[in-house]
Amino acid sequence: MKYNIVRTDKADEQLRDIIFYFADDSGSIDIAFNYLNKIEKAIKRLEDFPLSGSIPRYSILRKQGYRVLVVERRLVFYKVNSNESLVIIYAIVDGRYLFRFNIKIKNIEK
């Protein structure tokens, strides 16, 4: 059974910032789009394998039911709602700067 994937506004904003950074840093929109495709492919795999992400090392995130998908240096934080066959992407962050990461839970309506 395929799961639907939903991204929060915050995750969309973070992904946009990552792509703008890659385009600006490399001077190439193609490099930025290639990186976007890599992240999108990894997220799309969650449709078929929603539990493929790791369990986070921080207990506060584990207790709240988050999983983390690693895409190079980026960490994609998400939750799985098995009852509704839904994967909710909450954040996409740079793992190099992750000392203490807190995610605010938002209610997502279809």
Side-chain angles (χ1 to χ4, degrees), residues 52-89:
S52 62
S54 303
I55 296 171
R57 66 180 181 184
Y58 293 115
S59 63
I60 191 163
L61 296 174
R62 278 195 312 268
K63 289 177 185 175
Q64 293 177 19
Y66 285 97
R67 297 189 76 85
V68 62
L69 183 65
V70 180
V71 183
E72 291 185 6
R73 294 180 177 167
R74 305 298 183 240
L75 304 177
V76 178
F77 287 91
Y78 69 96
K79 287 186 181 182
V80 177
N81 181 330
S82 297
N83 294 333
E84 296 183 27
S85 299
L86 189 64
V87 172
I88 304 166
I89 309 295

Side-chain angles (χ1 to χ4, degrees), residues 5 42-50 52 69 78 87 89:
I5 296 177
I43 290 172
K44 187 162 177 55
R45 279 194 297 268
L46 294 174
E47 289 179 343
D48 295 313
F49 306 103
S52 62
L69 183 65
Y78 69 96
V87 172
I89 309 295

Side-chain angles (χ1 to χ4, degrees), residues 29-45:
I29 194 72
D30 290 333
I31 290 173
F33 280 134
N34 286 340
Y35 196 72
L36 172 63
N37 287 336
K38 188 177 289 189
I39 293 173
E40 293 286 6
K41 279 184 186 178
I43 290 172
K44 187 162 177 55
R45 279 194 297 268

Side-chain angles (χ1 to χ4, degrees), residues 10 17 21 27 37 56 89 92 104:
K10 184 67 174 176
D17 290 345
Y21 169 79
N37 287 336
I89 309 295
I92 304 171
K104 295 182 181 178

